Amino acid sequence: NDNDQLSATLRWDSERAGQLLADFSTPLQYAQGTWIWAADAPLAGTLTARMPRIGGWSVLAPPGWRLRGTLDASATLAGTRDKPLWTGTLNADKLAVRSVVDGLDFSKGSLRASLKGQRVDIQSFTIRGAGDAQGEGGELSATGFAIWPSLEADASAKSVQMELDVR
């Protein structure tokens, strides 16, 4: 019955902040005067983000911090409420973060990541430091993954598991 379906759509289209399209749906149950979202309720969703200039999102960063770069993401959500399953990709280019007060100045960054199930695989993340007076800056490179627990996991397993190889 369509009256038992929770659906939401978000459409964002901004010249400066980019485009975002998200759709989500899941069934709800109505019992004894209250709505219930069952742990085994199926999920369906999609997310597409194209942000040619993430600098506009600097307002969400700490005061004095500036962000630059591009973001391109595409993901599909399936599974259940207690075990959501994602598939998709997350790509970012020309990444830069700067905070004069904190002495941070990184640029020429990129990210390639994929989503599969409850896991994010970071195929590559690189970003370069601004360098010293001689112009020599270092480079941070990382690969790895993060796994977030399902809601069905017991309390001792409710933490994100992460493994990174940083060079």
Side-chain angles (χ1 to χ4, degrees):
N1 173 338
D2 286 343
N3 293 333
D4 296 341
Q5 191 76 10
L6 172 65
S7 298
T9 299
L10 171 65
R11 287 187 177 90
W12 175 286
D13 191 352
S14 166
E15 183 178 329
R16 290 184 179 214
Q19 297 80 35
L20 175 72
L21 175 60
D23 287 300
F24 172 79
S25 66
T26 187
L28 299 177
Q29 299 169 347
Y30 190 75
Q32 300 175 345
T34 187
W35 288 100
I36 299 167
W37 189 19
D40 64 349
L43 303 174
T46 59
L47 172 73
T48 304
R50 307 257 185 282
M51 298 179 179
R53 292 188 301 251
I54 63 171
W57 297 93
S58 289
V59 297
L60 301 175
W65 285 56
R66 296 294 172 254
L67 306 172
R68 285 191 331 265
T70 66
L71 174 70
D72 186 8
S74 179
T76 301
L77 174 63
T80 61
R81 182 180 71 97
D82 65 350
K83 191 172 183 182
L85 301 174
W86 289 93
T87 57
T89 59
L90 175 63
N91 297 311
D93 290 298
K94 300 176 186 171
L95 293 175
V97 60
R98 184 172 189 208
S99 172
V100 174
V101 172
D102 297 306
L104 296 173
D105 192 1
F106 294 97
S107 62
K108 299 178 186 170
S110 68
L111 170 69
R112 298 292 176 266
S114 62
L115 306 166
K116 184 166 181 168
Q118 293 176 291
R119 179 179 170 121
V120 177
D121 282 309
I122 301 168
Q123 285 89 21
S124 70
F125 172 74
T126 59
I127 197 158
R128 295 196 55 81
D132 55 18
Q134 288 77 33
E136 296 181 25
E139 181 176 270
L140 171 70
S141 297
T143 60
F145 67 88
I147 299 173
W148 58 91
S150 67
L151 296 177
E152 65 190 12
D154 64 39
S156 64
K158 290 210 181 229
S159 61
V160 173
Q161 177 187 355
M162 238 193 218
E163 182 176 309
L164 291 175
D165 179 20
V166 179
R167 295 178 297 290

